[in-house]
C-alpha cells in the first residue's frame, strides 16, 4: 500500500539552511547535508530543498548541496527556487535531485512546465503554488515572491492548468497559515485535491503532531511538508509517523 | 568489481553511480560498448519518456549492446524507465517498440479503478513490495520492504514466471522486480529507496561477484 509522506523542507540560502516565520525573519538552522542525514535517519520520506539565494553564486552552491546530498544519501529529494529554464532543471536533476519544483517561473511562463515534463517526465516536475484567501475574489489567489506579490491567477484554476501542462505533483502552500503553527489549511488543500488527480503535498501551518493526521487522513493529502517544527525540534518526523501509524494511517 | 552504467543521455545517472560507489563498486559511466561489455555487470538507468529513450539507444548505436548482453549472460539491471525499456512495447505517447527481452507491454495508469474510484497518477512515494518468489540473486527476502516508486506507466501482460515482486496501487498489480535469466528490472529506484534499496542492490551485486546473478 502506498504510504503517506512526511517531508521536511530545508530553506537554503547561500548553502545554509534558514527558515523564517511568514518568510520574513530568518534564523540559521544549519548545514543542509547534515540536516538531510538527520532527517533521513528519523524516517523522512523525502526532502525538499528550497533555494532562496538571490545571487548566482548562491545558486551554484545549491548544485553543490544537491550533489553532496545525493552522494551521501539514498533518499529522494526535490529542489525548488530560482529555476527558470530547462537548463536549470537539467543541472539540478543531473546533480542528483529527483524532482524540481517551479513556482514564479511557471506563472511567468506556463510552457516551462510542459517543456520540463516532456523532457524529464511528469514525475520530475513539481509545481509549487503559494495560495492566499482573497475576500475580494471569494477564492484563493496565487502569490509569488514569498507571498509579497498577488497574481491574477486563481489557485484552483492554476492547479488544473499546471497539471494539464504536465505537472506530476503540486506543492500547495497556504500563505495564510505559513509560520502560524495553527495547522494546515484544510479547505485549500481539499479544494485543490479535488480539482486534480496528481499527488498533493500540503504545506504551511504545521504546529503539532495532530495537524498531520488532519491533512493526511481527513483531507487525504498525499504528503505533508513542514520546516520549523522539525528544525527547532518541537516534534520529530519519527514522532509524527509513530502517531499516524497508531491512528491507522499508512506510513513507512 | 566494476559496474557499467549505460549513459545514453537519459536520466539521473549521478544517484545510481553514487549508490554503487557507497557499496564499494568501481563505476564506469559510459556510452562505449566495448568498455561497457568489459564490466562485470551493467545498469540501464532512465528517467523520461519511453520513445525518447529508445530513440537515444538507436541514435547512439547502444541498441546493439543488448543482444551481446543476453548472448554473453552479462548481468543487467534496468531501473525505472530502464526496466520498462526491457519489455516489448509501450503505449507512452503512441506505440513504441522496446528491447523485447521481457514479454509484455507498458501501459499508463488510468487513474480510476474498476469501481470507478479515482487514484493519483503518478504512482509516487513509498510502497511495499510483495514477493511472488525469490530472485535467484536473493537468498533471503528483505525485512524492510518499502521502496520508492515514481512513475505513470507500468508493465502488464508479462510472463508470470518473470515476476519476482509487485506493489499494489489502485486496482493495479504493479510489477516492482522482474527477472529473466541474467536480466533484472526494478520499477522503483533502489538508489533512492533507503534500507530496502541498499539491501536489494547489495545482494544483486554480491550475486554478480559470485557469478550467480543469472539463472
Amino acid at each position: 500500500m502506498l504510504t503517506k509522506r512526511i517531508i521536511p523542507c530545508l530553506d537554503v540560502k547561500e548553502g545554509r539552511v534558514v527558515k523564517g516565520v511568514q518568510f520574513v525573519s530568518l534564523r540559521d538552522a544549519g548545514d543542509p547535508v547534515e540536516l538531510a542525514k538527520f532527517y533521513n535517519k528519523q524516517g523522512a520520506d523525502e526532502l525538499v530543498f528550497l533555494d532562496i539565494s538571490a545571487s548566482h553564486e548562491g545558486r551554484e552552491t545549491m548544485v553543490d548541496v544537491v550533489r553532496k546530498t545525493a552522494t551521501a544519501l539514498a533518499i529522494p529529494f526535490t529542489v525548488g527556487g530560482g529555476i527558470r529554464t530547462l537548463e536549470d532543471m537539467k543541472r539540478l536533476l543531473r546533480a542528483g535531485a529527483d524532482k524540481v519544483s517551479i513556482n514564479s517561473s511557471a506563472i511567468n511562463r506556463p510552457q516551462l512546465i510542459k517543456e520540463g515534463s516532456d523532457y524529464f517526465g511528469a514525475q520530475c516536475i513539481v509545481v509549487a503554488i503559494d495560495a492566499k484567501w482573497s475576500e475580494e475574489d471569494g477564492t484563493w489567489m496565487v502569490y509569488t515572491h514569498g507571498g509579497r506579490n498577488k497574481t491574477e491567477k486563481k489557485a484552483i484554476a492554476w492547479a488544473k492548468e499546471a497539471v494539464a501542462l504536465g505537472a506530476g505533483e503540486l506543492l500547495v502552500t497556504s500563505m495564510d497559515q505559513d509560520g502560524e503553527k495553527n495547522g494546515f489549511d484544510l479547505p485549500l488543500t481539499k479544494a485543490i485535491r479535488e480539482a486534480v488527480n496528481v499527488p498533493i503535498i500540503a504545506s504551511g501551518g504545521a504546529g503539532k503532531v495532530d495537524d498531520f493526521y488532519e491533512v493526511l487522513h481527513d483531507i487525504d493529502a498525499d504528503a505533508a511538508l513542514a520546516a520549523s517544527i522539525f528544525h527547532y525540534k518541537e516534534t520529530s518526523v519519527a514522532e509524527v509517523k509513530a502517531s499516524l501509524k497508531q491512528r491507522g494511517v499508512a506510513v513507512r | 568489481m566494476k559496474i557499467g552504467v549505460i549513459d545514453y543521455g537519459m536520466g539521473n545517472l549521478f544517484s545510481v553511480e553514487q549508490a554503487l560507489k557507497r557499496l564499494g563498486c568501481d563505476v564506469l559511466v559510459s556510452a562505449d560498448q566495448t568498455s561497457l561489455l568489459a564490466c562485470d555487470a551493467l545498469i540501464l538507468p532512465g528517467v523520461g519518456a519511453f520513445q525518447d529513450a529508445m530513440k537515444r539507444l538507436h541514435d547512439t548505436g547502444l541498441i546493439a549492446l543488448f543482444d551481446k548482453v543476453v548472448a554473453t549472460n552479462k548481468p543487467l539491471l534496468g531501473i525505472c524507465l530502464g526496466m520498462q525499456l526491457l519489455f516489448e512495447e509501450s503505449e507512452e505517447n503512441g506505440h513504441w517498440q522496446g528491447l523485447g527481452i521481457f514479454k509484455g507491454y507498458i501501459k499508463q495508469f488510468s487513474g480510476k479503478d474498476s469501481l470507478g474510484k479515482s487514484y493519483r497518477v503518478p504512482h509516487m512515494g513509498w510502497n511495499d513490495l510483495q514477493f511472488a518468489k525469490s530472485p535467484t540473486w536473493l537468498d533471503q527476502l528483505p525485512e524492510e520492504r518499502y521502496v520508492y516508486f515514481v512513475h505513470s506507466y507500468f508493465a502488464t501482460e508479462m510472463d508470470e514466471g518473470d515476476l519476482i515482486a509487485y506493489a499494489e496501487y489502485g486496482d493495479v498489480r504493479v510489477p516492482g522486480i522482474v527477472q529473466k535469466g541474467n536480466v533484472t528490472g526494478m520499477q522503483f529506484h533502489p538508489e533512492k529507496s533507503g534500507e530496502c534499496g541498499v539491501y536489494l542492490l547489495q545482494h544483486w551485486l554480491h550475486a554478480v561477484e559470485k557469478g550467480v546473478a543469472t539463472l
Side-chain angles (χ1 to χ4, degrees), chain B residues 123-142:
Chain B
H123 173 218
M124 191 184 282
W126 298 82
N127 204 332
D128 53 341
L129 289 172
Q130 318 277 332
F131 281 83
K133 62 179 177 187
S134 209
T136 52
W137 42 267
L138 197 60
D139 37 24
Q140 199 167 3
L141 296 181

Side-chain angles (χ1 to χ4, degrees), chain A residues 1-3 5 44-46 66-67 69-77 93-99 118-124 168-169 193-194 196-200 220 222 251-252, chain B residues 9-15 18-19 22 47-49 52 110-112 118-128 130 144 146 148 150-152 168-169 189-195 198:
Chain A
M1 190 177 185
L2 188 70
T3 61
R5 289 171 280 152
D45 296 301
E46 278 182 39
V66 168
R67 204 173 287 121
T69 308
T71 302
L73 293 171
I75 186 172
F77 62 93
L93 293 170
R94 285 188 182 151
D98 299 276
K99 303 182 249 184
D118 285 349
Y119 196 89
F120 301 105
Q123 75 285 340
C124 286
E169 187 168 52
R193 201 203 79 85
E194 283 170 356
V196 297
N197 201 34
V198 299
I200 304 290
D220 201 21
D222 302 276
V251 290
R252 178 171 67 108
Chain B
M10 297 290 286
N12 195 338
L13 308 185
F14 187 78
S15 300
Q18 295 308 316
R22 284 197 295 270
V47 169
D52 293 342
S110 68
K112 272 215 162 71
S118 64
Y119 61 87
R120 318 243 129 200
V121 182
H123 173 218
M124 191 184 282
W126 298 82
N127 204 332
D128 53 341
Q130 318 277 332
E144 168 63 50
Y146 281 107
Y148 188 78
V150 49
H151 61 127
S152 303
E168 284 165 356
Y169 189 57
H189 286 274
E191 78 280 14
K192 290 285 178 175
S193 290
E195 202 182 308
V198 170

Side-chain angles (χ1 to χ4, degrees), chain A residues 43-62:
Chain A
D45 296 301
E46 278 182 39
L47 295 173
V48 168
F49 288 116
L50 184 62
D51 186 12
I52 54 170
S53 306
S55 66
H56 177 71
E57 291 75 20
R59 301 210 188 291
E60 285 307 313
T61 310
M62 193 63 222

Side-chain angles (χ1 to χ4, degrees), chain B residues 15-195:
Chain B
S15 300
V16 173
E17 183 187 347
Q18 295 308 316
L20 293 168
K21 284 184 175 166
R22 284 197 295 270
L23 290 168
C25 299
D26 288 331
V27 183
L28 172 77
V29 178
S30 173
D32 178 64
Q33 297 195 38
T34 313
S35 329
L36 286 170
L37 284 167
C39 294
D40 297 293
L42 297 176
I43 291 195
L44 179 63
V47 169
F50 192 97
Q51 81 270 25
D52 293 342
M54 284 310 294
K55 195 172 172 304
R56 301 280 315 178
L57 288 176
H58 281 287
D59 290 353
T60 54
L62 279 164
I63 194 91
L65 178 70
F66 298 93
D67 286 341
K68 293 172 199 155
V69 163
V70 173
T72 58
N73 245 8
K74 175 90 54 196
L76 169 70
L77 171 61
I79 296 174
C80 197
L81 176 65
M83 165 184 138
Q84 298 186 354
L85 297 173
L86 303 171
F87 283 78
E88 291 171 306
E89 195 184 321
S90 169
E91 64 167 29
E92 184 170 355
N93 307 327
H95 283 277
W96 304 92
Q97 197 93 36
L99 295 168
I101 295 172
F102 288 91
K103 184 187 164 292
Y105 86 109
I106 306 300
K107 193 176 149 75
Q108 189 168 22
F109 286 110
S110 68
K112 272 215 162 71
D113 68 16
S114 52
L115 301 171
K117 190 172 179 290
S118 64
Y119 61 87
R120 318 243 129 200
V121 182
H123 173 218
M124 191 184 282
W126 298 82
N127 204 332
D128 53 341
L129 289 172
Q130 318 277 332
F131 281 83
K133 62 179 177 187
S134 209
T136 52
W137 42 267
L138 197 60
D139 37 24
Q140 199 167 3
L141 296 181
E143 273 177 37
E144 168 63 50
R145 294 185 187 177
Y146 281 107
V147 289
Y148 188 78
F149 286 90
V150 49
H151 61 127
S152 303
Y153 292 79
F154 63 97
T156 186
E157 292 182 23
M158 57 178 294
D159 256 337
E160 284 302 302
D162 297 339
L163 182 71
I164 302 291
Y166 58 93
E168 284 165 356
Y169 189 57
D171 60 350
V172 179
R173 186 193 71 177
V174 182
I177 305 177
V178 295
Q179 190 195 357
K180 186 173 179 179
N182 58 311
V183 184
T184 297
M186 296 185 189
Q187 176 61 71
F188 52 89
H189 286 274
E191 78 280 14
K192 290 285 178 175
S193 290
E195 202 182 308

